[in-house]
Amino acid sequence: FAGQMQQRPAPKGGGMFKRAWFEVVRAAPSKFVKVVRYWDRAATEDKPGKDPDYTVGVKMGKDIDGIHYVLDVCRMRASSLKVQHAIRNAATQDGFLCKIGLEQDPGQAGKSEVEYLIRQLAGFNAKAYLVQHNKTTRASPLSAQAEAGNIKLLEGHWNEDFLKELETFPLGDHDDQVDAASGSFNMINEAGINYEGLTKL
């Protein structure tokens, strides 16, 4: 109904994600049990008349009470070389305690590309993640925690574009920010993590 009668790709307020679920805060905690940045890569340049996918890196922190904070969203349309430089620059700015997740496309080419990126990030804690489920399945844990009020956004210029994309997922024109946010959330909560000590920003 929202798409056909109201010319919106999702119900007002959001479908799988609702805007009201996300509190925007002016300051984040000074310490986290873990901080990660997960990259969903496109390596596509912006061209007139085209609407290609974005490369997106979402930085997320989890505090001692289990509240997740989206701390930053890096979003661009750029060549493969410029994307590599952006990922490296973000790593140096985020610091060595921020773990890096790199989404790996299926096939040998995707494996070779992500292995090259990890070599370029020598000295940082970078890991490849092979996509194994569809987008909505990967986003479901993030959606559930957002509905429970456990996902907050640090105030920033990226907030509005981020929320707009969440609202229209999975029917919107783009889902790169959702993919990167889901990747960050799933990475920060993966099994086997030892939450000893706190990470200072």
Side-chain angles (χ1 to χ4, degrees):
F1 178 82
Q4 294 181 6
M5 303 300 294
Q6 300 178 344
Q7 299 302 304
R8 291 197 307 267
K12 187 175 181 180
M16 190 170 177
F17 293 94
K18 296 188 183 298
R19 178 180 290 257
W21 296 347
F22 297 88
E23 179 186 0
V24 178
V25 297
R26 291 190 173 182
S30 60
K31 296 181 180 180
F32 290 98
V33 293
K34 189 178 180 186
V35 180
V36 307
R37 188 187 288 270
Y38 186 95
W39 289 92
D40 176 56
R41 293 168 294 110
T44 307
E45 295 185 76
D46 199 1
K47 296 179 179 180
K50 303 291 184 181
D51 191 24
D53 290 336
Y54 290 85
T55 288
V56 177
V58 170
K59 183 179 180 182
M60 183 179 291
K62 181 178 181 179
D63 72 10
I64 198 168
D65 297 317
I67 304 298
H68 299 72
Y69 292 80
V70 181
L71 302 169
D72 180 62
V73 176
C74 180
R75 184 177 185 234
M76 77 195 82
R77 286 169 167 157
S79 66
S80 179
L81 182 59
K82 289 181 179 178
V83 166
Q84 292 170 20
H85 289 165
I87 291 174
R88 174 75 186 186
N89 289 342
T92 59
Q93 293 171 26
D94 292 339
F96 294 102
L97 295 177
C98 180
K99 301 179 187 299
I100 304 167
L102 300 167
E103 191 163 297
Q104 178 183 327
D105 294 328
Q108 185 58 40
K111 181 179 180 181
S112 298
E113 182 185 17
V114 81
E115 286 176 349
Y116 172 78
L117 275 171
I118 290 175
R119 288 196 297 272
Q120 298 303 305
L121 292 166
F124 295 95
N125 190 345
K127 179 181 177 182
Y129 288 84
L130 182 63
V131 177
Q132 296 181 329
H133 303 288
N134 63 49
K135 293 174 181 290
T136 54
T137 299
R138 299 199 306 270
S140 291
L142 178 66
S143 175
Q145 288 300 304
E147 185 175 10
N150 294 330
I151 311 291
K152 301 183 186 298
L153 311 183
L154 182 62
E155 186 176 57
H157 66 87
W158 49 269
N159 292 165
E160 183 61 23
D161 286 339
F162 184 76
L163 289 168
K164 282 182 178 178
E165 186 173 302
L166 287 170
E167 284 183 301
T168 59
F169 182 80
L171 302 176
D173 293 333
H174 296 285
D175 51 25
D176 314 294
Q177 293 179 94
V178 179
D179 287 347
S182 301
S184 289
F185 179 85
N186 294 332
M187 179 182 173
I188 212 169
N189 290 291
E190 63 187 342
I193 297 299
N194 183 11
Y195 293 111
E196 290 185 359
L198 297 175
T199 298
K200 288 186 177 181
L201 281 184

